[in-house]
Each structure stands twice: as C-alpha cells, then as structure tokens.
Amino acid sequence: MQPESNLASRRLAIALGLLLAIALVVPLLGQPYYTRLVARMAIFGIAALSLDLLVGYAGLVSFGHAAFFGIGVYCAGLLPMLGVQQVWVIVPVAMLVAGLYGALSGLISLRASGLYFIFITLAFAEIVFYIAQGLRMLGGDDGFRLPAPTLLPGGASLANPVVLAYTMLGALVLAVWFARRLSESHFGQVVVAARDNETRLRAMGLSAYPYRLVLYTIASALCALAGVGFANLVEYASPASMSWIVSGEFLFMVILGSAATIIGPVLGAVVFVGLEQILSALTEHWLFWLGIILVLRVLLLRQGLYGLLTGRGQR
Amino acid sequence: MSSSCKPDGAEADQMRLECEAPLLEVRGLVKRFGALVVTDQVSLSVRPGELHALIGPNGAGKSCLIGQISGELRPDEGEVHFRGQRVDDLAVPERARRGLARAYQVPRLFGSLTPAANAAVAEISRVRSGFRFWRRAATDPALAAAARIALDRVGLGRALAPDPADTGAVRPASLLAHGDKRLLELAMGFASDPALLLLDEPLAGLGPADSAAMVALLRSLKGRYGILLVEHDVEAVFALADRISVLVGGRVIASGPAAQIRTDPRVRAAYLGESE
C-alpha cells in the first residue's frame, strides 16, 4: 500500500482503459462464447473485489465468501418462481438476504481471529451449502434450472449474453468505484488501522469490532450481486456455487491480483477465468498448472498482477 | 459499591475540586500470575499536569502495572479511579475515550499508513467520524490540520512532509527510523488530547541525540498533561519527574519528590545499585 507515483498510476490507468475497451468491444463481435467469457470475468471480478475488502483492507481471511455468492444465485433462481423477474427487486433482495446473513454470521465469526476466523467463516458457508443441498423440491444436490431470467427495466433479458455482459461490466465499474471510495473514507482508514495494529486503535478509543462487522456486511451484500449475475450466466442454481471450492477460488483471485488494491483482485479474476478456459481445453490436469502459477506469483511478484501493471512488481 | 471517594450529591463541590483532586488514583492493586505476585498492594496517584515517574529494576512489574491502569490487564484486587470515577471494569477503548491514553514500549503504529494518516486516524477516533463512509480521509482538510498539529507537537511535522522533488510519495510508518517511530508513537498518544498519558519507556533504544530530543519534548509537554512515566534512564527521570515511585518486586518501596528518592537508603540498596 505504498502511495503510487504518477508514472505508475498512469501506466495502470492506460492498461485498465485498454482492458475495459477490449471488454466493451468483444460482445459486439457476435461470438456468444467470448461474450459469455467477458460476463464471467466481470461477475468473478465483483466477487473477488468484495472479498478483497475483507482480506486486503481488513486483514480478515474469509474462507466462506461463496455462501454470499450462492445466496445471490438462489435469490435469482427462486424469485422468478414467485413471478418476480425485475432486476431492481432481485438484486436488492439478494443483497439484503446476503447482508443479513453476513451480519448475523459476522456477529459470531468476528469474535475470532486468524485461523479460527477462517474456520468459522467456512462453517457458516457450509451451513448454507447443506441447507441448499437439503432442499429436495429445489433439486437438492443437483440444483435446478432457472425458471426465467432476470429482466432489466425495459424488458431486456439477462439471458441474452450481450445484455448480461454489458450489465455486469457496468456493475463491475460501479463496484470498483464504490469499493475504492469506501476504502479511502474515514471508515476505510479505521478498517485499515485495525488491520495494521488493533492494540493501538483500542488505546486510541476505538474498538475494531463494529467497523469490521459493517464491512463484513457490505462485502457479503456485494458478493450477492455477483451471484445474481452468475445464475443468469449459467441459467442454473445449485449448491456447487456456494461450496468451499468456490470460496477458495475467490481467495486465489485476490492473491493472484494482489490484496488491498481492489483493481488487483479484479485482474486476478480476469486471469483466473481466462486460464481456466485455456488450460482446461488443453489438459484435464489444468488445476495442477493453476497451482504452479499461484506459486510463481507468490515467489516472483511482490504485488501480484497489480504490481506488473504499475511496474513495481518484481521482487 | 461506591464509585467515588466523595459523598453523593456533592457534584458541584467535586467539579470545583477536580483541579486539585488526583487525575489518576490507584488503590491497593494486586495482580497474580499463579503463585507469582507481580503487583502487590500498589497505590499511587497522578495529579493534573504532574509527571510521576515509575522506576524499578527489570521484572519489578512496571509494565504490568501500566497494563492494569490502561485496561489491558485485569487486576485481581484493588481499584483504579480516573477523574473521580472508578474505571477498572472498563475495557481499553472506553478508558481511552475518557482521556486515558497510552504509548507503548514497542511503538505500535499503523505500519502501512503514512505518519500523517496515522495521526489522522487518531483524529477520526477523537471526533468519532469512523462511520463516515463517503468522505475521503486523505483530502479532508480537518483531518490534515489535526494531523499536522499532532506531528508538529513532537517535531515530526517538517521532517515527514512530502518532498516535492520526489514523486510525492511519503513513506509508510513501518519504514521510519526507530527514533521517528518513537516520536510518532508519542504523537499518537497525545493526538486524542488525553488528560493522562501512560508512557512506557519512551527512551528505550534511542541514541544519545534522539534521547536528548525526547527528554526536551517530554519537558515541554509536562504541565499540560498528567503523565505516568515508566523509564529505565534514571538521569532522565530525575531531570523530568515531579514525583518518583520506586517499584521493586511488585511493591512500591518508596514514593516522593526526586530529592527524597535520591537519598532514600532503601532505594539505593534496592535499585540504584549502591553495591552492584
């Protein structure tokens, strides 16, 4: 978190502008596969940056973040059964439910720290996972097909890959802006201070707990937004979307990109999704190569993909 | 249980007396770790504006005593009164909000933040603006002004300003020199505008120049704040302290003005190393 020099931030701005331009052009090419890939990257970008608020800024390594992703997926799948398809109902409901679960589980998990925090967040995610798995009328372990897609105001359907890609790109840009703004606020400074030295913060009269709880709630709600997008992308809702493996993938993206940068984890998500597509086409042992890449990142890049772009990356 | 030494219904009197009454009063404090008694019936007080020094050999229980006053350790017996109110059931942040600040033996800073941002967090804490989600901390003029005052107070203001010749980068606190870390630690203690500051060995690990600067700084702050100073540097303590208490084996064996402590035979025997 060193302050960036002008040159580095200009390099970063150019690189991000280019990436965004590519992402905006691809859906126009009329290739559904690549359009859906862009949507997928944007969706996981939102999920990864929401986790970065916890891992990077608050130093809270959550291993249960997929629960909130899954809550978003299930909300997007369940509400159409009640005849609700409007995005302005589904997204707020999904974020509210995820935020509530985040607040309630955070009340308990944030009492712990370090390894215990990791395990308690995992446990809370597993609770949601097994509840979803136990819902027989919703297909249990198999999940269920989305009865109807989410609709934008005006009637455009997120089942259309082009609409989905642009919607999620817009959501991603908003989420990046929101998260950066939040991290730079008075609130964000207290959260970072609590990560750096909680003892000092307490000696100055602030208890870290309420600040962490609010942040945890915000991060949970934000991840549900990504979940709604994901349900529309795969047109399916299943417990797999909230398994601990997905939580691990989110962490992978954050670390790959560099924590506490917001942009870094978004790049991590883009590269992760891209590698997943390329490597899984080449070999069935693609997870092995993904693992190698993570090891190389930790060994070689001080600030992950983010550092590569700002030019301060090499160890 | 009575929360004050004064009778109820005499609040007006108490307000008038507040200036003369001790800021901090510790009564019969006892702390045991198993069979080991680290604090043994300790009573002491700090008056407003007074610098009360606590000296004693290694392992005398000085840091433990400070910890019980700040709230990090819970005493087994005894009471801690601050500004006329009993505080020994309060957690650290609550005591801090009442004006009881602490500087640590090992500087505890927000390592990834610049010195100014460190001081800004202290100001956020003081004015309770931690739940402002939208106002940028880095460009908030009120925070910047408060941070400047806090850094200037310890002489760090100019030294840590961004160098215009550089790219505008300011080093994070974790990269400061040790002496500057100590000064920043002190600045953070005073930034909340406390009534009493608990200072745990502010001179530890400082070279002669930094040490002299710190003594001068403490002298300039004396009188404005009540200070309870734990320090090994006996020269500095005798130069600064209004009152000195000597802690040996968890007990206060002597307490009084510097001149009296200097000549106290028990102190000389136990601590000043007459025969060592």
Side-chain angles (χ1 to χ4, degrees), chain A residues 203-227:
Chain A
M204 289 190 328
L206 290 184
S207 162
Y209 184 72
Y211 297 91
R212 288 181 177 151
L213 186 58
V214 169
L215 185 79
Y216 196 74
T217 305
I218 292 173
S220 305
L222 197 54
C223 195
L225 172 64

Side-chain angles (χ1 to χ4, degrees), chain A residues 181 184 186 195-196 200 204, chain B residues 112 125 129 136 140 185:
Chain A
R181 196 65 206 250
E184 290 166 358
H186 287 211
R195 174 199 70 190
D196 280 3
R200 163 49 66 201
M204 289 190 328
Chain B
S112 72
S125 160
S129 65
R136 279 206 175 90
D140 186 333
E185 170 77 13

Side-chain angles (χ1 to χ4, degrees), chain B residues 59-210:
Chain B
K62 302 185 294 292
S63 291
C64 275
L65 182 58
I66 294 281
Q68 289 168 76
I69 296 170
S70 70
E72 275 142 352
L73 277 175
R74 200 155 273 264
D76 295 317
E77 289 171 32
E79 299 175 2
V80 179
H81 293 256
F82 182 60
R83 287 173 148 174
Q85 284 177 312
R86 197 166 168 188
V87 296
D88 41 277
D89 276 339
L90 300 179
V92 176
E94 282 147 43
R95 294 189 203 193
R97 269 179 253 146
R98 293 178 183 218
L100 188 63
R102 172 168 192 188
Y104 291 86
Q105 196 171 352
V106 177
R108 299 195 183 230
L109 306 168
F110 307 129
S112 72
L113 302 179
T114 63
N118 269 266
V121 174
E123 178 68 4
I124 289 170
S125 160
R126 194 182 70 83
V127 302
R128 315 248 179 289
S129 65
F131 281 115
R132 297 189 76 151
F133 296 96
W134 218 238
R135 182 172 272 250
R136 279 206 175 90
T139 55
D140 186 333
L143 287 188
R148 164 128 316 238
I149 291 170
L151 294 183
D152 278 344
R153 191 182 286 141
V154 299
L156 276 176
R158 201 153 355 117
L160 299 176
D163 181 359
D166 198 1
T167 48
V170 184
R171 298 177 129 216
S174 61
L175 297 180
L176 293 178
H178 181 70
D180 287 346
K181 279 187 184 167
R182 280 231 169 275
L183 289 173
L184 183 56
E185 170 77 13
L186 201 60
M188 302 280 276
F190 286 115
S192 56
D193 207 15
L196 177 76
L197 192 72
L198 306 169
L199 279 178
D200 201 351
E201 297 200 31
L203 298 173
L206 292 186
D210 283 343

Side-chain angles (χ1 to χ4, degrees), chain A residues 36 39 76 85-87 90-91 146 148-152 155-168 225 228-235:
Chain A
R36 294 164 65 81
Q85 280 183 266
Q86 292 86 353
V87 72
I90 291 179
V91 165
L146 236 58
T150 305
L151 299 179
L152 296 184
S157 165
L158 292 190
N160 179 338
V162 178
V163 175
L164 182 67
Y166 283 131
T167 305
M168 293 323 291
L225 172 64
V228 171
F230 188 72
N232 280 282
L233 177 74
V234 298
E235 297 175 70

